[in-house]
Amino acid sequence: MKCNGISRKNKKTGICGTALHPHQIYCHVCGLATPALKTDLSAKENIKLSWEFHKKNYQESFSLGLLLTLAVYIPLSILVALFWHDYWHTNLILLFYIPFALIPLAMRDDYSLKNYLRTLSKLYLPYLSFILVAEIYFFLLKVICDGYLLSFMVDPVLHIVRLIMVLYGITCAFAVPFLMADKKMNPIKAIILSIKAGHETRWQQFFTLVAVAFINLIGALCLLAGLLYTLPLSYKILRRYYQKMVGFELFTSSNPTLE
């Protein structure tokens, strides 16, 4: 595959013509984007394919959706609502509950209850440590941008900065649960690798996360019964995109963004 970008260095044709690796996302000479972000690494295409697959196989993950809805998401929502104005209690609740919600990300394509419990026994504590690191990050943002625990006012624009950094942090950590499960990494190493590897797919990761949030909002509005369908679909969407990133060798040493 050769780059069709415009290059002033090539005086004969004006075309870049640089030989590209099949998994290259941008030309390293002229910077032109390859079709990757519009095809294999497209958030839109990934959601479409995941939806088609889930429609044919939703029965296999129905019991998992029921368990997560009744035992994780509903209790978590109630507790967060009750302690919303208590920062420390809210974060303590999130610390212990969110790892339960992350477990399906490590289950690959087996969404049975048996596999959930088996995966839970192996990854609950590692995922808890990841959430702890995330909460420290969010706490620092709250102190810096909101003046929390400090006796001085902060510029209101910092509230917007905080929102952006929260969304950016979540997007950067997209691959962390997968890397911790598949590569047995600790949270710090997984976060660093996720940030580096996702340098060129950052917006696609963000769009994927926004779409997943919207899908589950619709599921919750359907008297919560919709979550039985949308939750397993969400995990499949996230894992499929991670697998696309793996297929493009974004987590390997051959990826130039890791150097």
Side-chain angles (χ1 to χ4, degrees), residues 1-4 18-24 26-28 32 34:
M1 179 173 65
K2 291 187 177 182
C3 177
N4 294 319
T18 302
L20 302 177
H21 188 277
H23 292 161
Q24 205 158 330
Y26 289 95
C27 175
H28 56 279
L32 180 71
T34 69

Side-chain angles (χ1 to χ4, degrees), residues 65-117:
L66 181 62
L67 172 67
L68 292 173
T69 300
L70 297 179
V72 179
Y73 285 94
I74 291 180
L76 177 59
S77 300
I78 293 173
L79 289 171
V80 169
L82 289 174
F83 293 95
W84 181 254
H85 297 292
D86 188 326
Y87 179 80
W88 298 107
H89 279 92
T90 298
N91 277 272
L92 189 62
I93 291 167
L94 293 173
L95 175 63
F96 287 100
Y97 258 94
I98 291 182
F100 290 105
L102 294 180
I103 294 299
L105 296 175
M107 293 171 61
R108 302 189 180 183
D109 295 323
D110 181 1
Y111 293 97
S112 64
L113 291 180
K114 182 179 180 180
N115 190 36
Y116 178 85
L117 295 175

Side-chain angles (χ1 to χ4, degrees), residues 4 37 53 94 115 175 195 202 240 242 258:
N4 294 319
L37 293 176
F53 176 80
L94 293 173
N115 190 36
I195 292 172
R202 192 82 74 236
R240 180 182 286 270
Y242 166 75
L258 300 183

Side-chain angles (χ1 to χ4, degrees), residues 7 22 32 35 39 61 70 113 127 132 138 146 166 171 194-195 199 228 247-248:
S7 174
L32 180 71
T39 54
S61 55
L70 297 179
L113 291 180
Y127 280 171
L132 180 59
F138 295 140
D146 283 2
V166 166
T171 303
S194 181
I195 292 172
H199 175 71
L228 304 182
F248 266 71

Side-chain angles (χ1 to χ4, degrees), residues 37 164 175 196:
L37 293 176
I164 293 173
K196 290 182 177 181

